[in-house]
Amino acid sequence: MSEPEWGRLDPRMIVVRPLNELIGLLPPLAALVFFGNVDTWRVVTGASVVGLIIVYGLLSWLTTKYRITETQVELHKGVVFRQRRAIPRDRIRSVDLTAKLGHRAFGLSAVRVGTGQQERTPGEGTVTLDAVTAVEAERLRQALLRKVAHSEDESDEGVLISQLDKRWYRYAPLTLSGFITIGIVVGFVMNLASELDFRFSEVGAFRSAFGWVSHADPVRVVPVAAVFVIVLSVLASLAGYLLQNHNYRLTRQPDGTVRVRRGLLTTRSVSIEEKRLRGAVLHEPLLLRAGKGARVTVVTTGLNKIGGSSLLLPPAPRVEADRVAANVLAVDETPTAAPLTKHPARAKVRRVVRAVVPTVVVAGVLLLLAETADWPTWPWVVAAVLIPVSVVLGLDRYRNLGHTLTNDYLVARSGSLDRTTVALLRNGIIGWKLTRTLFQRRARVFTLTAITAAGSSGYSVLDIGDKQGLDLADSAIPDLIGQFLVKA
Amino acid sequence: MSESEWRLRAPANLVSKRAVLLWTLRAAIFWAVVAGAQAVVLLVVDGAPRWLRVTIVVTAVVGVVHTIVMPRWRYRVHRWETTADAVFTRSGWVTQEWRLAPISRIQTVDTARGPLQQLLRLSTITVTTASAQGPLKIEGLDAEVAARVVDELAATTQATPGDAT
């Protein structure tokens, strides 16, 4: 089945690539037609952009070819800059299938093949085939990951580890993704409006809303605006959760991979070789943590950080997150829920000081400006109110600091607004970094970083006590740091 | 673990004494450029702001102190050691960093020499592992010592099996 002939991408890509680009351009184009004052030059530029995109689609289809030989995957592509890329098959660590809306309409899928190389520039260690038919994509995924050709049983489902539960939608509003979406949309619309010389004040509804906001009593405006923003962001985050995580399924495949499939319009399928798993990270942003929820990402060699392909479990109950982490890492006791050793009380002082000092400085500067430079008083009052909040934040940061060793994993937790618990395979640690600032030295603590070839390449245990830290490093990997330890 | 505290000892070897000169030159050049740029503005531009004189004086004072203190401090911190199965380095001055890498995880060992280092017959050894988190660097080694260390490391690395991830 590994054919020596060159394969081409599916000819439908001539249409699909421009279509995907056009879907992205649709809102501005529609706005151009409906709202903008339609100048001739705008229509001409618009049309020529569309034309260029279609010609580019045709050229890139003509110039792209790939083949899979016994030993490697080769890809030739490029219109202006010719690129030839070859990846040895035994280096392939992950296969990621992504189908955008345009792809889906034609039953196509993009295939991204990743190697274990850590990327210094995006795309360095990957070959992307954009796109082939969904059937061909599935065949490639199985062929590339299995190393040996198997053609039977195309639709193997694997063993189900976890799948979307409708009740998980309650965690969507707790991720703040809605706020971010609103921010992006507002920014985009504003930009577009100024680009098209569109004035919001010309629309009656906007004008009356602005009028009410600027003239009504602030005591009434603030709660109404807050409710408005919150409702909008809840809706946006629910929509985002639906788009990204619809039909989420996490399975263990018979070919030694773990497979994540999800998405409503753009569907993704990420296959990760189990041999390459180096651990898992549990993310609990403040609100999600308050709602007893968590999100899990995987620590592995060969997945790039762009595009969220490391996601293992979308926001879900904490218990489910622990179960999924344990199941994927193939351990009985989940490392992410293991009881942690606290860090010394001296670390508490550091966490609180580091949280409070910036707020105090900001409040001080604002107070000074209010006294000397005629600034309003409310900024420094707000900053001053935030000082006790930052004390609480610092205390919570300390409360969350912790580490432990399980049979196979090093577990470290830190953070408050975005608490993360990382479980890193002890075998996957390929060195240590110990850093100590002047202040840490006085507090007799240091930061221990486990260096690894996977994920974000270094995972830190913050402000660990001197003795604790050396003990931890010595027991996590025997025979490395031990030879440099002496009795004090 | 016994009752008494264990302590991480410093790596065995100092870097070359000439490294002090290297760091001094580097710092001096940097501060000369920063102060020089401000001086040029002050002399050439009409109506240059008055606070520029203050910043020049501040730059000069900070620059001189940094140029005198930093290299000597660094020289007392920067150390390195290689054993049969590990590379161990210490670097930094105000903030210090210890790095440990097992020989079995080393991928490449290189030396690099900038113009200043060539002038002073110094060399920097860079030991990379499979991680993208910065490689281990031993800066300011005597060029001959560096060449010898690289040869030794290359020999031991080759003798150690494994794919280093």
PDB file of all heavy atoms in Angstrom, chain B residues 48-78:
ATOM      1  N   ALA B  48      17.457  69.805  23.291  1.00  0.00           N
ATOM      2  CA  ALA B  48      17.294  68.490  23.885  1.00  0.00           C
ATOM      3  C   ALA B  48      16.779  68.681  25.320  1.00  0.00           C
ATOM      4  O   ALA B  48      17.167  69.638  25.992  1.00  0.00           O
ATOM      5  CB  ALA B  48      18.624  67.748  23.896  1.00  0.00           C
ATOM      6  N   PRO B  49      15.896  67.769  25.769  1.00  0.00           N
ATOM      7  CA  PRO B  49      15.314  67.978  27.103  1.00  0.00           C
ATOM      8  C   PRO B  49      16.385  67.985  28.196  1.00  0.00           C
ATOM      9  O   PRO B  49      17.403  67.294  28.096  1.00  0.00           O
ATOM     10  CB  PRO B  49      14.365  66.779  27.253  1.00  0.00           C
ATOM     11  CG  PRO B  49      14.800  65.795  26.226  1.00  0.00           C
ATOM     12  CD  PRO B  49      15.402  66.574  25.110  1.00  0.00           C
ATOM     13  N   ARG B  50      16.118  68.726  29.257  1.00  0.00           N
ATOM     14  CA  ARG B  50      17.126  68.884  30.310  1.00  0.00           C
ATOM     15  C   ARG B  50      17.316  67.611  31.123  1.00  0.00           C
ATOM     16  O   ARG B  50      18.411  67.352  31.623  1.00  0.00           O
ATOM     17  CB  ARG B  50      16.709  70.028  31.244  1.00  0.00           C
ATOM     18  CG  ARG B  50      16.517  71.338  30.502  1.00  0.00           C
ATOM     19  CD  ARG B  50      16.468  72.487  31.473  1.00  0.00           C
ATOM     20  NE  ARG B  50      17.734  72.612  32.195  1.00  0.00           N
ATOM     21  CZ  ARG B  50      17.990  73.613  33.031  1.00  0.00           C
ATOM     22  NH1 ARG B  50      17.082  74.545  33.242  1.00  0.00           N
ATOM     23  NH2 ARG B  50      19.143  73.695  33.654  1.00  0.00           N
ATOM     24  N   TRP B  51      16.197  66.833  31.228  1.00  0.00           N
ATOM     25  CA  TRP B  51      16.339  65.625  32.048  1.00  0.00           C
ATOM     26  C   TRP B  51      17.332  64.636  31.452  1.00  0.00           C
ATOM     27  O   TRP B  51      17.786  63.713  32.099  1.00  0.00           O
ATOM     28  CB  TRP B  51      14.989  64.955  32.298  1.00  0.00           C
ATOM     29  CG  TRP B  51      14.143  64.712  31.062  1.00  0.00           C
ATOM     30  CD1 TRP B  51      13.094  65.456  30.653  1.00  0.00           C
ATOM     31  CD2 TRP B  51      14.286  63.654  30.106  1.00  0.00           C
ATOM     32  NE1 TRP B  51      12.560  64.939  29.496  1.00  0.00           N
ATOM     33  CE2 TRP B  51      13.278  63.840  29.132  1.00  0.00           C
ATOM     34  CE3 TRP B  51      15.171  62.579  29.956  1.00  0.00           C
ATOM     35  CZ2 TRP B  51      13.127  62.989  28.042  1.00  0.00           C
ATOM     36  CZ3 TRP B  51      15.020  61.731  28.859  1.00  0.00           C
ATOM     37  CH2 TRP B  51      14.008  61.946  27.915  1.00  0.00           C
ATOM     38  N   LEU B  52      17.713  64.848  30.184  1.00  0.00           N
ATOM     39  CA  LEU B  52      18.678  63.950  29.547  1.00  0.00           C
ATOM     40  C   LEU B  52      20.025  63.987  30.288  1.00  0.00           C
ATOM     41  O   LEU B  52      20.729  62.993  30.361  1.00  0.00           O
ATOM     42  CB  LEU B  52      18.860  64.360  28.082  1.00  0.00           C
ATOM     43  CG  LEU B  52      19.249  63.236  27.121  1.00  0.00           C
ATOM     44  CD1 LEU B  52      18.307  62.056  27.232  1.00  0.00           C
ATOM     45  CD2 LEU B  52      19.288  63.740  25.695  1.00  0.00           C
ATOM     46  N   ARG B  53      20.353  65.195  30.836  1.00  0.00           N
ATOM     47  CA  ARG B  53      21.617  65.272  31.607  1.00  0.00           C
ATOM     48  C   ARG B  53      21.562  64.362  32.823  1.00  0.00           C
ATOM     49  O   ARG B  53      22.539  63.694  33.158  1.00  0.00           O
ATOM     50  CB  ARG B  53      21.846  66.722  32.060  1.00  0.00           C
ATOM     51  CG  ARG B  53      22.112  67.610  30.871  1.00  0.00           C
ATOM     52  CD  ARG B  53      22.100  69.045  31.285  1.00  0.00           C
ATOM     53  NE  ARG B  53      21.927  69.863  30.087  1.00  0.00           N
ATOM     54  CZ  ARG B  53      22.302  71.123  30.009  1.00  0.00           C
ATOM     55  NH1 ARG B  53      22.830  71.723  31.050  1.00  0.00           N
ATOM     56  NH2 ARG B  53      22.137  71.783  28.898  1.00  0.00           N
ATOM     57  N   VAL B  54      20.386  64.373  33.472  1.00  0.00           N
ATOM     58  CA  VAL B  54      20.228  63.509  34.650  1.00  0.00           C
ATOM     59  C   VAL B  54      20.391  62.038  34.249  1.00  0.00           C
ATOM     60  O   VAL B  54      21.138  61.291  34.900  1.00  0.00           O
ATOM     61  CB  VAL B  54      18.845  63.735  35.293  1.00  0.00           C
ATOM     62  CG1 VAL B  54      18.710  62.883  36.555  1.00  0.00           C
ATOM     63  CG2 VAL B  54      18.643  65.214  35.598  1.00  0.00           C
ATOM     64  N   THR B  55      19.719  61.647  33.147  1.00  0.00           N
ATOM     65  CA  THR B  55      19.789  60.224  32.784  1.00  0.00           C
ATOM     66  C   THR B  55      21.213  59.829  32.385  1.00  0.00           C
ATOM     67  O   THR B  55      21.635  58.716  32.643  1.00  0.00           O
ATOM     68  CB  THR B  55      18.821  59.869  31.637  1.00  0.00           C
ATOM     69  OG1 THR B  55      19.110  60.700  30.521  1.00  0.00           O
ATOM     70  CG2 THR B  55      17.376  60.018  32.044  1.00  0.00           C
ATOM     71  N   ILE B  56      21.967  60.758  31.778  1.00  0.00           N
ATOM     72  CA  ILE B  56      23.358  60.442  31.430  1.00  0.00           C
ATOM     73  C   ILE B  56      24.174  60.157  32.679  1.00  0.00           C
ATOM     74  O   ILE B  56      24.912  59.164  32.751  1.00  0.00           O
ATOM     75  CB  ILE B  56      24.014  61.594  30.636  1.00  0.00           C
ATOM     76  CG1 ILE B  56      23.516  61.564  29.193  1.00  0.00           C
ATOM     77  CG2 ILE B  56      25.541  61.452  30.642  1.00  0.00           C
ATOM     78  CD1 ILE B  56      24.319  62.410  28.263  1.00  0.00           C
ATOM     79  N   VAL B  57      24.011  61.020  33.680  1.00  0.00           N
ATOM     80  CA  VAL B  57      24.759  60.811  34.920  1.00  0.00           C
ATOM     81  C   VAL B  57      24.365  59.486  35.550  1.00  0.00           C
ATOM     82  O   VAL B  57      25.225  58.687  35.961  1.00  0.00           O
ATOM     83  CB  VAL B  57      24.504  61.988  35.903  1.00  0.00           C
ATOM     84  CG1 VAL B  57      25.176  61.695  37.245  1.00  0.00           C
ATOM     85  CG2 VAL B  57      25.022  63.291  35.315  1.00  0.00           C
ATOM     86  N   VAL B  58      23.031  59.215  35.597  1.00  0.00           N
ATOM     87  CA  VAL B  58      22.565  57.955  36.186  1.00  0.00           C
ATOM     88  C   VAL B  58      23.148  56.769  35.411  1.00  0.00           C
ATOM     89  O   VAL B  58      23.673  55.815  35.998  1.00  0.00           O
ATOM     90  CB  VAL B  58      21.016  57.904  36.183  1.00  0.00           C
ATOM     91  CG1 VAL B  58      20.540  56.515  36.612  1.00  0.00           C
ATOM     92  CG2 VAL B  58      20.456  58.966  37.102  1.00  0.00           C
ATOM     93  N   THR B  59      23.081  56.842  34.063  1.00  0.00           N
ATOM     94  CA  THR B  59      23.628  55.771  33.229  1.00  0.00           C
ATOM     95  C   THR B  59      25.095  55.538  33.546  1.00  0.00           C
ATOM     96  O   THR B  59      25.539  54.397  33.711  1.00  0.00           O
ATOM     97  CB  THR B  59      23.487  56.131  31.733  1.00  0.00           C
ATOM     98  OG1 THR B  59      22.144  56.502  31.478  1.00  0.00           O
ATOM     99  CG2 THR B  59      23.865  54.955  30.848  1.00  0.00           C
ATOM    100  N   ALA B  60      25.855  56.640  33.648  1.00  0.00           N
ATOM    101  CA  ALA B  60      27.294  56.524  33.905  1.00  0.00           C
ATOM    102  C   ALA B  60      27.545  55.824  35.238  1.00  0.00           C
ATOM    103  O   ALA B  60      28.355  54.889  35.317  1.00  0.00           O
ATOM    104  CB  ALA B  60      27.943  57.901  33.880  1.00  0.00           C
ATOM    105  N   VAL B  61      26.832  56.252  36.287  1.00  0.00           N
ATOM    106  CA  VAL B  61      27.062  55.676  37.613  1.00  0.00           C
ATOM    107  C   VAL B  61      26.698  54.187  37.611  1.00  0.00           C
ATOM    108  O   VAL B  61      27.517  53.330  38.007  1.00  0.00           O
ATOM    109  CB  VAL B  61      26.240  56.434  38.688  1.00  0.00           C
ATOM    110  CG1 VAL B  61      26.322  55.695  40.026  1.00  0.00           C
ATOM    111  CG2 VAL B  61      26.745  57.856  38.821  1.00  0.00           C
ATOM    112  N   VAL B  62      25.465  53.875  37.107  1.00  0.00           N
ATOM    113  CA  VAL B  62      25.036  52.471  37.071  1.00  0.00           C
ATOM    114  C   VAL B  62      26.016  51.654  36.231  1.00  0.00           C
ATOM    115  O   VAL B  62      26.430  50.560  36.613  1.00  0.00           O
ATOM    116  CB  VAL B  62      23.598  52.361  36.489  1.00  0.00           C
ATOM    117  CG1 VAL B  62      23.235  50.897  36.266  1.00  0.00           C
ATOM    118  CG2 VAL B  62      22.600  53.012  37.419  1.00  0.00           C
ATOM    119  N   GLY B  63      26.418  52.221  35.089  1.00  0.00           N
ATOM    120  CA  GLY B  63      27.315  51.515  34.185  1.00  0.00           C
ATOM    121  C   GLY B  63      28.643  51.182  34.841  1.00  0.00           C
ATOM    122  O   GLY B  63      29.113  50.044  34.755  1.00  0.00           O
ATOM    123  N   VAL B  64      29.229  52.144  35.518  1.00  0.00           N
ATOM    124  CA  VAL B  64      30.540  51.913  36.145  1.00  0.00           C
ATOM    125  C   VAL B  64      30.426  50.856  37.239  1.00  0.00           C
ATOM    126  O   VAL B  64      31.212  49.906  37.282  1.00  0.00           O
ATOM    127  CB  VAL B  64      31.111  53.243  36.718  1.00  0.00           C
ATOM    128  CG1 VAL B  64      32.293  52.950  37.631  1.00  0.00           C
ATOM    129  CG2 VAL B  64      31.525  54.166  35.584  1.00  0.00           C
ATOM    130  N   VAL B  65      29.389  50.995  38.082  1.00  0.00           N
ATOM    131  CA  VAL B  65      29.226  50.023  39.169  1.00  0.00           C
ATOM    132  C   VAL B  65      29.020  48.618  38.595  1.00  0.00           C
ATOM    133  O   VAL B  65      29.678  47.659  39.001  1.00  0.00           O
ATOM    134  CB  VAL B  65      28.028  50.416  40.075  1.00  0.00           C
ATOM    135  CG1 VAL B  65      27.732  49.296  41.065  1.00  0.00           C
ATOM    136  CG2 VAL B  65      28.342  51.720  40.798  1.00  0.00           C
ATOM    137  N   HIS B  66      28.133  48.521  37.588  1.00  0.00           N
ATOM    138  CA  HIS B  66      27.845  47.228  36.977  1.00  0.00           C
ATOM    139  C   HIS B  66      29.108  46.629  36.357  1.00  0.00           C
ATOM    140  O   HIS B  66      29.415  45.450  36.542  1.00  0.00           O
ATOM    141  CB  HIS B  66      26.757  47.404  35.908  1.00  0.00           C
ATOM    142  CG  HIS B  66      26.382  46.149  35.177  1.00  0.00           C
ATOM    143  ND1 HIS B  66      26.766  45.905  33.887  1.00  0.00           N
ATOM    144  CD2 HIS B  66      25.677  45.074  35.565  1.00  0.00           C
ATOM    145  CE1 HIS B  66      26.309  44.721  33.516  1.00  0.00           C
ATOM    146  NE2 HIS B  66      25.628  44.196  34.506  1.00  0.00           N
ATOM    147  N   THR B  67      29.866  47.464  35.639  1.00  0.00           N
ATOM    148  CA  THR B  67      31.056  46.979  34.950  1.00  0.00           C
ATOM    149  C   THR B  67      32.116  46.494  35.938  1.00  0.00           C
ATOM    150  O   THR B  67      32.890  45.592  35.640  1.00  0.00           O
ATOM    151  CB  THR B  67      31.636  48.091  34.053  1.00  0.00           C
ATOM    152  OG1 THR B  67      30.582  48.611  33.262  1.00  0.00           O
ATOM    153  CG2 THR B  67      32.729  47.570  33.142  1.00  0.00           C
ATOM    154  N   ILE B  68      32.165  47.119  37.128  1.00  0.00           N
ATOM    155  CA  ILE B  68      33.168  46.698  38.103  1.00  0.00           C
ATOM    156  C   ILE B  68      32.693  45.488  38.901  1.00  0.00           C
ATOM    157  O   ILE B  68      33.429  44.521  39.074  1.00  0.00           O
ATOM    158  CB  ILE B  68      33.504  47.869  39.068  1.00  0.00           C
ATOM    159  CG1 ILE B  68      34.264  48.950  38.290  1.00  0.00           C
ATOM    160  CG2 ILE B  68      34.333  47.374  40.245  1.00  0.00           C
ATOM    161  CD1 ILE B  68      34.509  50.208  39.082  1.00  0.00           C
ATOM    162  N   VAL B  69      31.429  45.532  39.347  1.00  0.00           N
ATOM    163  CA  VAL B  69      30.951  44.493  40.260  1.00  0.00           C
ATOM    164  C   VAL B  69      30.604  43.191  39.545  1.00  0.00           C
ATOM    165  O   VAL B  69      31.034  42.114  39.943  1.00  0.00           O
ATOM    166  CB  VAL B  69      29.718  45.005  41.051  1.00  0.00           C
ATOM    167  CG1 VAL B  69      29.114  43.872  41.869  1.00  0.00           C
ATOM    168  CG2 VAL B  69      30.130  46.163  41.943  1.00  0.00           C
ATOM    169  N   MET B  70      29.818  43.307  38.442  1.00  0.00           N
ATOM    170  CA  MET B  70      29.250  42.105  37.826  1.00  0.00           C
ATOM    171  C   MET B  70      30.294  41.059  37.440  1.00  0.00           C
ATOM    172  O   MET B  70      30.155  39.889  37.814  1.00  0.00           O
ATOM    173  CB  MET B  70      28.380  42.521  36.622  1.00  0.00           C
ATOM    174  CG  MET B  70      27.731  41.403  35.850  1.00  0.00           C
ATOM    175  SD  MET B  70      28.773  40.691  34.587  1.00  0.00           S
ATOM    176  CE  MET B  70      28.763  41.980  33.351  1.00  0.00           C
ATOM    177  N   PRO B  71      31.384  41.432  36.719  1.00  0.00           N
ATOM    178  CA  PRO B  71      32.333  40.394  36.280  1.00  0.00           C
ATOM    179  C   PRO B  71      32.980  39.649  37.452  1.00  0.00           C
ATOM    180  O   PRO B  71      33.134  38.418  37.390  1.00  0.00           O
ATOM    181  CB  PRO B  71      33.384  41.184  35.504  1.00  0.00           C
ATOM    182  CG  PRO B  71      32.697  42.428  35.091  1.00  0.00           C
ATOM    183  CD  PRO B  71      31.763  42.754  36.199  1.00  0.00           C
ATOM    184  N   ARG B  72      33.329  40.382  38.515  1.00  0.00           N
ATOM    185  CA  ARG B  72      33.971  39.724  39.658  1.00  0.00           C
ATOM    186  C   ARG B  72      33.011  38.783  40.378  1.00  0.00           C
ATOM    187  O   ARG B  72      33.367  37.674  40.778  1.00  0.00           O
ATOM    188  CB  ARG B  72      34.524  40.784  40.605  1.00  0.00           C
ATOM    189  CG  ARG B  72      35.850  41.296  40.117  1.00  0.00           C
ATOM    190  CD  ARG B  72      36.210  42.691  40.564  1.00  0.00           C
ATOM    191  NE  ARG B  72      37.346  43.154  39.772  1.00  0.00           N
ATOM    192  CZ  ARG B  72      37.235  43.677  38.554  1.00  0.00           C
ATOM    193  NH1 ARG B  72      36.044  43.839  38.007  1.00  0.00           N
ATOM    194  NH2 ARG B  72      38.295  44.039  37.870  1.00  0.00           N
ATOM    195  N   TRP B  73      31.785  39.280  40.522  1.00  0.00           N
ATOM    196  CA  TRP B  73      30.750  38.452  41.141  1.00  0.00           C
ATOM    197  C   TRP B  73      30.534  37.180  40.305  1.00  0.00           C
ATOM    198  O   TRP B  73      30.522  36.060  40.806  1.00  0.00           O
ATOM    199  CB  TRP B  73      29.457  39.274  41.257  1.00  0.00           C
ATOM    200  CG  TRP B  73      28.411  38.682  42.157  1.00  0.00           C
ATOM    201  CD1 TRP B  73      28.287  37.375  42.533  1.00  0.00           C
ATOM    202  CD2 TRP B  73      27.336  39.383  42.786  1.00  0.00           C
ATOM    203  NE1 TRP B  73      27.205  37.217  43.336  1.00  0.00           N
ATOM    204  CE2 TRP B  73      26.593  38.431  43.520  1.00  0.00           C
ATOM    205  CE3 TRP B  73      26.912  40.717  42.797  1.00  0.00           C
ATOM    206  CZ2 TRP B  73      25.463  38.776  44.245  1.00  0.00           C
ATOM    207  CZ3 TRP B  73      25.788  41.045  43.518  1.00  0.00           C
ATOM    208  CH2 TRP B  73      25.074  40.095  44.246  1.00  0.00           C
ATOM    209  N   ARG B  74      30.358  37.371  38.995  1.00  0.00           N
ATOM    210  CA  ARG B  74      30.150  36.239  38.097  1.00  0.00           C
ATOM    211  C   ARG B  74      31.283  35.215  38.215  1.00  0.00           C
ATOM    212  O   ARG B  74      31.037  34.014  38.233  1.00  0.00           O
ATOM    213  CB  ARG B  74      30.113  36.726  36.643  1.00  0.00           C
ATOM    214  CG  ARG B  74      28.727  36.960  36.117  1.00  0.00           C
ATOM    215  CD  ARG B  74      28.751  37.147  34.601  1.00  0.00           C
ATOM    216  NE  ARG B  74      27.510  37.739  34.149  1.00  0.00           N
ATOM    217  CZ  ARG B  74      26.381  37.060  34.010  1.00  0.00           C
ATOM    218  NH1 ARG B  74      26.348  35.777  34.286  1.00  0.00           N
ATOM    219  NH2 ARG B  74      25.293  37.675  33.607  1.00  0.00           N
ATOM    220  N   TYR B  75      32.512  35.723  38.288  1.00  0.00           N
ATOM    221  CA  TYR B  75      33.655  34.819  38.312  1.00  0.00           C
ATOM    222  C   TYR B  75      33.585  33.894  39.525  1.00  0.00           C
ATOM    223  O   TYR B  75      34.031  32.753  39.483  1.00  0.00           O
ATOM    224  CB  TYR B  75      34.964  35.624  38.324  1.00  0.00           C
ATOM    225  CG  TYR B  75      36.192  34.738  38.302  1.00  0.00           C
ATOM    226  CD1 TYR B  75      36.517  34.004  37.168  1.00  0.00           C
ATOM    227  CD2 TYR B  75      36.999  34.616  39.427  1.00  0.00           C
ATOM    228  CE1 TYR B  75      37.618  33.181  37.151  1.00  0.00           C
ATOM    229  CE2 TYR B  75      38.114  33.793  39.415  1.00  0.00           C
ATOM    230  CZ  TYR B  75      38.418  33.079  38.276  1.00  0.00           C
ATOM    231  OH  TYR B  75      39.511  32.248  38.251  1.00  0.00           O
ATOM    232  N   ARG B  76      33.027  34.415  40.628  1.00  0.00           N
ATOM    233  CA  ARG B  76      32.916  33.576  41.822  1.00  0.00           C
ATOM    234  C   ARG B  76      31.765  32.577  41.704  1.00  0.00           C
ATOM    235  O   ARG B  76      31.741  31.582  42.420  1.00  0.00           O
ATOM    236  CB  ARG B  76      32.733  34.454  43.060  1.00  0.00           C
ATOM    237  CG  ARG B  76      34.010  35.229  43.373  1.00  0.00           C
ATOM    238  CD  ARG B  76      33.768  36.305  44.377  1.00  0.00           C
ATOM    239  NE  ARG B  76      33.250  35.773  45.642  1.00  0.00           N
ATOM    240  CZ  ARG B  76      33.012  36.545  46.682  1.00  0.00           C
ATOM    241  NH1 ARG B  76      33.217  37.846  46.620  1.00  0.00           N
ATOM    242  NH2 ARG B  76      32.551  36.031  47.795  1.00  0.00           N
ATOM    243  N   VAL B  77      30.805  32.871  40.814  1.00  0.00           N
ATOM    244  CA  VAL B  77      29.641  31.981  40.667  1.00  0.00           C
ATOM    245  C   VAL B  77      29.853  30.937  39.578  1.00  0.00           C
ATOM    246  O   VAL B  77      29.600  29.750  39.770  1.00  0.00           O
ATOM    247  CB  VAL B  77      28.371  32.799  40.365  1.00  0.00           C
ATOM    248  CG1 VAL B  77      27.196  31.865  40.113  1.00  0.00           C
ATOM    249  CG2 VAL B  77      28.069  33.755  41.508  1.00  0.00           C
ATOM    250  N   HIS B  78      30.348  31.398  38.405  1.00  0.00           N
ATOM    251  CA  HIS B  78      30.425  30.495  37.243  1.00  0.00           C
ATOM    252  C   HIS B  78      31.387  29.338  37.483  1.00  0.00           C
ATOM    253  O   HIS B  78      32.585  29.554  37.713  1.00  0.00           O
ATOM    254  CB  HIS B  78      30.878  31.282  36.003  1.00  0.00           C
ATOM    255  CG  HIS B  78      29.761  32.040  35.375  1.00  0.00           C
ATOM    256  ND1 HIS B  78      29.372  31.883  34.070  1.00  0.00           N
ATOM    257  CD2 HIS B  78      28.916  32.964  35.902  1.00  0.00           C
ATOM    258  CE1 HIS B  78      28.347  32.675  33.805  1.00  0.00           C
ATOM    259  NE2 HIS B  78      28.063  33.353  34.908  1.00  0.00           N
TER     260      HIS B  78
END
